[in-house]
Amino acid sequence: MDFLNELNANQREAVANTEGPALVIAGAGSGKTRVLTYRIANLLSKGIPAYKILALTFTNKAAREMQKRISQLVGSENAANLWMGTFHSIFSKILRFEAEKLGYTSNFTIYDTQDSKNLIKAIIKDLKLDDKTYKPNDVLGRISMAKNNLITAQAYAQSSRITTADAAARKPMIAEIYKHYQMRCRQSDTMDFDDLLLQTNILFRDFPEILDKYQQKFNYILVDEYQDTNYSQYLIIKKLSERHHNLCVVGDDAQSIYSFRGARIENILNFRNDYPDYRLFKLEQNYRSTTTIVEAANSIINKNKEQIPKRVFSENEEGEKIKILRALSDKEEGFQVTNEIFKLANYEQQEYCDFAILYRTNAQSRILEEALRKRNIPYKIYGGQSFYQRKEIKDLLAYFRLSVNQNDEEAFKRIINYPRRGIGDTTIDKIREIAQQHRVSMWTVLCNLEKVAGSFNNSSLTKLNNFRLLIEKFAERSQEENAYDVACTIVQSSGITDDLSNDSTPEGVSRKENIQELLNAIKDFSETAYKEGFSDKLATFLEGVALLTDQDTEKPGDDNKVTLMTIHAAKGLEFPNVFITGIEEELFPAQQCASNPQALEEERRLFYVALTRAEKKVVMSYATTRYRNGQIISTRPSRFIAEIDPHFLDGFIAPRQETSPFNFKTTSPFRKPVSETLAPVHTTPLPDIGSSKLKPIEPNSVIPGMILFHPTFGTGKVLSLEGLGVNKKAKMFFNKEGTKTLLLKFAKLFIQED
């Protein structure tokens, strides 16, 4: 075990103590992946069989890197058979083994977000609902949040609290959409991403013998990025570790930033309550960043109340102070940031890939892109359309999916008339109607055309039968041949090759190249699958594609370019130089978070994540005016700049004053005091509150600055309060209605849930 000598004292302690529950708090850049990797290597070197170890990550990339490093430490043979991968990949593997118990086949397919949106869109149309009221994206978000909290469609409809909130948001039919969505998924023998977790929970709940089997199987469980786990993931981990109690979770509460996805910071904060006999290990040395960056990040995160105390430090060089850029407009901000990058790249001989520009919202990227283009600086947008989301790739993947699972409705609809084979929308709609009438899949209707022959003319019947025979041929081959051979057959026989060959435009050439690139990927998979312990069949390849994450689809060819991304997307990454843009009140922190203490703490954690992505240099920028909602508005620097110890800053900073962010009668560090006798004037349009997370608010809990929802007037901001007890009134600004004074005991106001 010589490799233990490669660790510092704290890391070594976390690696060596393998028995019982353990919480490893790993500050930014402190080597948490290293600790996880070496801990697994240590278990293997003690003779623990690899198949007894379960390691859960959030990206396939992290799992692959850990697997590779473990193999180097203890040998590839010793590391083989580890159960290591993302939550979704591991639990989909378990579900395939146990699918029949839940009423699925082992060949179920996995819907991506776009497939789910398309299905919801179709259901909204079938139910004759207004797609402007029931936006597919919002509905999917609501369903996803329900699943992550283990609320099934049936439970959703039976919850008066949930349905009341939906009704208040004027979306009373979400429960019905959710019911139809799950029914259609079952008919299609498909699961979405959230189902992989929900169905695993249901499996362990309803089949205790199955839970017992996996409890016995996994003697040691390790979890990466534990602060990002949702309730569903938390419960699975808790159940699986009940027998042996050898659970090691690694994370950083200061980097919990995904509550909008259902992540719960409580999971890591309350670990000691769940496992009273736990051991705590703190990794506090940052190996990534300069001392200045680390201390600046400490000075801001210390303002949060909900956290596990730690003092991150660095023994690296002191480094430069954090530079502050002040621009008169968002357009000028773009040019200032770009000029700074240009100077550093040319005068200090730095590569463009050494720079990252981070922003709070995707909408900020447009101006930054324009500025980069004018300077001829190459850039890439991280998290843009991935290779597997391109139309031609989605089309071909739909053929693959239908060959593996003929009940897959979204794949069926996508390719039944692609390439064009004379099967019109009327015919497809008829098949869908018959399928829904009999609660079967569209494929089942296709296989029983003789029973509904009167619904179609002879020409349509011929074309439909030809399509069925084509897919049956592909399905047969997919069972017998490897993925690459089947894929080549499908590309040739489906007509896709002929369709693309007729398009000689640059776009058409690009589409053909993309198809070839996909075939190259399948060939590589087919040649290496067995060596890595996987089947070489098409179904296995499809599962790998379905479970890819954003970081897994990054193209290695995008080498020397400036990276643009949201701060959320930047988590887990690092760059020599980081630019954090739009550091303004109502943008960062976001407007809807400013009056909610818990939401504000998460915004501060997000700011901490942004700072700690940098190795050498941080530049922060803000504009004094910004174009928003069709008009130019005045802005002021974010409170987060004032919260950083000024010793670490370089640039103009307005005088700091100790203020409470929730006391609207105090003086802002960047703003002249408002007369206490006047209610603040509010003219900026308010963003709509997401109706998926609403709960009633008590009159005594209402304070100035809150963004609330009124069933009649919509989203409003509390400007001031007057009166006491039952006579308490709130003066509120609403986008459409302007200023209103409401008697709170009758107002029926709602707030967004945390």
Side-chain angles (χ1 to χ4, degrees):
M1 297 206 296
D2 292 342
F3 57 77
L4 292 180
N5 297 325
E6 299 173 21
L7 306 170
N8 68 32
N10 289 346
Q11 290 173 336
R12 191 158 52 247
E13 191 182 7
V15 166
N17 292 279
T18 57
E19 305 307 300
L23 171 61
V24 182
I25 296 297
S30 63
K32 69 173 178 65
T33 305
R34 188 180 182 90
V35 164
L36 266 177
T37 302
Y38 279 57
R39 191 176 170 101
I40 294 169
N42 186 27
L43 286 169
L44 293 169
S45 67
K46 286 181 174 180
I48 306 296
Y51 59 83
K52 290 280 187 183
I53 301 170
L54 170 64
L56 297 165
T57 66
F58 274 85
T59 68
N60 294 300
K61 183 181 176 184
R64 282 195 302 271
E65 287 174 357
M66 285 169 62
Q67 183 90 41
K68 184 180 176 183
R69 184 67 178 132
I70 292 165
S71 296
Q72 290 170 348
L73 290 170
V74 297
S76 55
E77 282 188 28
N78 206 7
N81 301 319
L82 276 170
W83 277 65
M84 179 183 287
T86 64
F87 283 88
H88 293 93
S89 67
I90 293 295
F91 298 139
S92 73
K93 187 176 178 180
I94 289 173
L95 286 171
R96 292 212 185 270
F97 287 136
E98 318 293 348
E100 289 181 11
K101 290 182 174 58
L102 295 168
Y104 293 86
T105 74
S106 60
N107 280 336
F108 66 82
T109 47
I110 302 168
Y111 276 172
D112 63 18
T113 303
Q114 195 54 55
D115 292 323
S116 293
K117 283 181 190 173
N118 290 342
L119 178 54
I120 286 170
K121 199 180 293 181
I123 291 167
I124 290 167
K125 186 181 176 183
D126 290 345
L127 295 175
K128 296 181 171 56
L129 299 173
D130 182 3
D131 60 3
K132 290 183 177 61
T133 302
Y134 295 92
K135 295 176 181 174
N137 208 41
D138 294 347
V139 174
L140 181 60
R142 188 73 168 147
I143 292 172
S144 177
M145 196 60 73
K147 288 183 178 182
N148 287 332
N149 285 288
L150 306 184
I151 301 168
T152 62
Q154 186 181 359
Y156 190 106
Q158 291 172 348
S159 170
S160 59
R161 181 183 62 83
I162 295 173
T163 52
T164 302
D166 285 348
R170 299 181 182 179
K171 297 176 184 178
M173 292 294 287
I174 288 181
E176 193 66 15
I177 298 171
Y178 186 5
K179 184 181 83 175
H180 278 77
Y181 176 75
Q182 282 306 103
M183 186 177 71
R184 298 269 281 270
C185 282
R186 280 200 172 268
Q187 287 170 9
S188 300
D189 196 24
T190 59
M191 295 190 198
D192 62 21
F193 255 49
D194 299 316
D195 280 326
L196 297 175
L197 302 177
L198 174 62
Q199 295 297 335
T200 302
N201 271 294
I202 291 171
L203 179 72
F204 290 164
R205 182 197 68 191
D206 294 351
F207 300 92
E209 73 279 8
I210 300 295
L211 173 60
D212 184 66
K213 179 171 89 176
Y214 288 100
Q215 284 176 338
Q216 290 192 57
K217 179 176 178 59
F218 301 126
N219 288 15
Y220 295 86
I221 300 172
L222 301 96
V223 185
D224 193 14
E225 304 284 11
Y226 191 62
Q227 78 282 345
D228 293 336
T229 53
N230 59 31
Y231 180 63
S232 189
Q233 290 161 329
Y234 158 83
L235 206 58
I236 294 170
I237 295 162
K238 198 167 186 299
K239 284 180 178 176
L240 284 175
S241 60
E242 277 174 354
R243 180 177 292 270
H244 297 288
H245 292 280
N246 295 322
L247 171 65
C248 174
V249 303
V250 181
D252 183 7
D253 53 292
Q255 297 185 65
S256 178
I257 59 173
Y258 292 119
S259 67
F260 66 96
R261 290 185 188 168
R264 304 196 320 163
I265 193 171
E266 301 90 334
N267 293 350
I268 195 165
L269 294 177
N270 296 336
F271 188 85
R272 62 184 178 183
N273 300 332
D274 291 328
Y275 307 94
D277 58 335
Y278 86 115
R279 294 192 64 173
L280 176 65
F281 305 96
K282 293 182 183 180
L283 309 181
E284 295 173 302
Q285 184 172 356
N286 180 304
Y287 292 93
R288 176 188 300 154
S289 309
T290 63
T291 302
T292 295
I293 293 170
V294 170
E295 291 298 331
N298 283 341
S299 72
I300 188 161
I301 202 64
N302 287 341
K303 303 290 190 299
N304 274 6
K305 292 179 181 177
E306 283 196 342
Q307 59 176 302
I308 297 169
K310 58 182 173 297
R311 181 70 187 179
V312 181
F313 67 95
S314 172
E315 293 181 354
N316 296 337
E317 61 181 354
E318 182 180 349
E320 298 176 41
K321 290 187 175 184
I322 295 170
K323 189 170 183 177
I324 308 294
L325 300 179
R326 176 182 179 271
L328 295 175
S329 68
D330 47 358
K331 201 165 187 176
E332 190 194 341
E333 180 190 31
F335 283 119
Q336 283 198 31
V337 167
T338 302
N339 287 340
E340 196 75 18
I341 292 172
F342 185 83
K343 282 191 296 185
L344 290 167
N346 286 277
Y347 300 151
E348 296 185 14
Q349 304 301 307
Q350 297 201 51
E351 300 287 333
Y352 284 127
C353 59
D354 291 338
F355 296 89
I357 303 175
L358 309 184
Y359 34 79
R360 179 64 181 83
T361 66
N362 278 306
Q364 294 169 250
S365 75
R366 182 185 63 81
I367 285 174
L368 295 163
E369 286 183 71
E370 285 178 7
L372 289 163
R373 282 198 296 269
K374 285 179 179 175
R375 269 289 194 181
N376 289 319
I377 295 175
Y379 67 89
K380 60 180 178 180
I381 303 274
Y382 192 95
Q385 189 187 41
S386 81
F387 176 79
Y388 290 99
Q389 291 300 317
R390 292 168 184 169
K391 181 187 176 302
E392 61 277 10
I393 301 301
K394 290 274 288 183
D395 289 337
L396 189 50
L397 288 175
Y399 269 101
F400 296 168
R401 282 165 46 183
L402 202 61
S403 302
V404 170
N405 171 17
Q406 288 79 60
N407 292 314
D408 188 328
E409 182 178 327
E410 289 306 306
F412 183 99
K413 289 190 296 188
R414 189 176 187 99
I415 62 169
I416 188 171
N417 197 39
Y418 177 77
R420 294 190 180 278
R421 49 177 62 89
I423 301 173
D425 290 345
T426 306
T427 301
I428 298 168
D429 285 344
K430 183 60 105 175
I431 295 171
R432 186 172 49 79
E433 285 169 15
I434 296 169
Q436 292 316 304
Q437 187 182 341
H438 295 279
R439 295 197 172 186
V440 295
S441 68
M442 294 175 76
W443 178 261
T444 302
V445 176
L446 199 66
C447 293
N448 292 274
L449 287 175
E450 71 281 358
K451 295 178 182 176
V452 290
S455 303
F456 307 98
N457 60 42
N458 288 335
S459 175
S460 294
L461 285 170
T462 301
K463 292 165 185 172
L464 290 170
N465 277 315
N466 287 341
F467 176 69
R468 175 178 59 78
L469 291 169
L470 183 71
I471 299 301
E472 284 176 347
K473 182 180 79 172
F474 296 159
E476 191 176 335
R477 291 203 166 202
S478 71
Q479 296 288 324
E480 299 168 355
E481 302 173 7
N482 66 47
Y484 179 68
D485 290 342
V486 179
C488 289
T489 299
I490 291 173
V491 170
Q492 293 296 329
S493 304
S494 63
I496 289 178
T497 301
D498 293 337
D499 186 64
L500 292 177
S501 63
N502 296 327
D503 187 353
S504 57
T505 64
E507 292 81 8
V509 172
S510 176
R511 282 193 280 271
K512 279 182 278 193
E513 289 172 351
N514 288 337
I515 292 286
Q516 190 54 54
E517 184 59 33
L518 179 61
L519 290 175
N520 292 343
I522 299 172
K523 187 173 178 61
D524 182 58
F525 162 80
S526 297
E527 289 174 350
T528 58
Y530 276 123
K531 295 177 191 173
E532 296 177 2
F534 300 110
S535 163
D536 65 353
K537 296 293 187 286
L538 192 59
T540 311
F541 173 79
L542 282 175
E543 177 156 351
V545 170
L547 297 170
L548 287 174
T549 64
D550 289 345
Q551 289 190 28
D552 301 316
T553 55
E554 189 181 12
K555 291 186 72 174
D558 290 342
D559 292 343
N560 197 21
K561 295 178 181 179
V562 175
T563 300
L564 275 70
M565 61 174 73
T566 64
I567 302 167
H568 283 100
K571 188 170 167 292
L573 304 176
E574 58 187 43
F575 302 89
N577 310 289
V578 170
F579 288 73
I580 313 171
T581 60
I583 314 294
E584 300 149 24
E585 286 293 305
E586 300 193 348
L587 182 57
F588 196 13
Q591 184 182 49
Q592 63 269 29
C593 302
S595 59
N596 181 322
Q598 287 179 310
L600 185 64
E601 289 211 348
E602 178 151 338
E603 288 287 289
R604 193 174 284 115
R605 292 195 295 269
L606 188 61
F607 190 69
Y608 175 84
V609 167
L611 275 175
T612 54
R613 297 312 92 200
E615 297 168 359
K616 302 288 186 186
K617 188 179 183 70
V618 175
V619 178
M620 298 194 300
S621 62
Y622 67 91
T624 57
T625 62
R626 187 170 291 274
Y627 209 86
R628 197 183 295 167
N629 297 322
Q631 59 182 344
I632 295 173
I633 61 164
S634 295
T635 61
R636 63 191 193 278
S638 169
R639 70 192 74 189
F640 294 155
I641 300 178
E643 289 180 354
I644 297 175
D645 187 325
H647 174 72
F648 304 117
L649 300 176
D650 173 23
F652 169 76
I653 300 293
R656 295 181 70 214
Q657 297 182 30
E658 291 301 318
T659 66
S660 164
F662 306 110
N663 183 354
F664 287 82
K665 291 184 178 180
T666 60
T667 305
S668 163
F670 303 103
R671 202 177 198 178
K672 292 179 181 177
V674 178
S675 171
E676 294 187 5
T677 59
L678 298 173
V681 178
H682 192 100
T683 57
T684 307
L686 299 166
D688 287 331
I689 287 181
S691 60
S692 61
K693 296 193 288 183
L694 287 176
K695 64 177 180 182
I697 185 168
E698 295 294 325
N700 291 336
S701 301
V702 175
I703 59 173
M706 273 187 170
I707 309 294
L708 303 174
F709 180 86
H710 188 277
T712 304
F713 304 135
T715 302
K717 183 173 183 176
V718 181
L719 301 179
S720 63
L721 298 172
E722 59 183 88
L724 296 167
V726 294
N727 297 316
K728 193 174 184 182
K729 298 176 183 177
K731 184 174 279 188
M732 295 184 66
F733 171 83
F734 297 93
N735 284 335
K736 294 179 181 176
E737 304 292 334
T739 303
K740 297 274 186 186
T741 300
L742 307 175
L743 189 64
L744 288 178
K745 73 172 182 178
F746 297 125
K748 292 184 181 176
L749 294 169
F750 294 81
I751 192 170
Q752 208 163 19
E753 286 187 307
D754 301 334

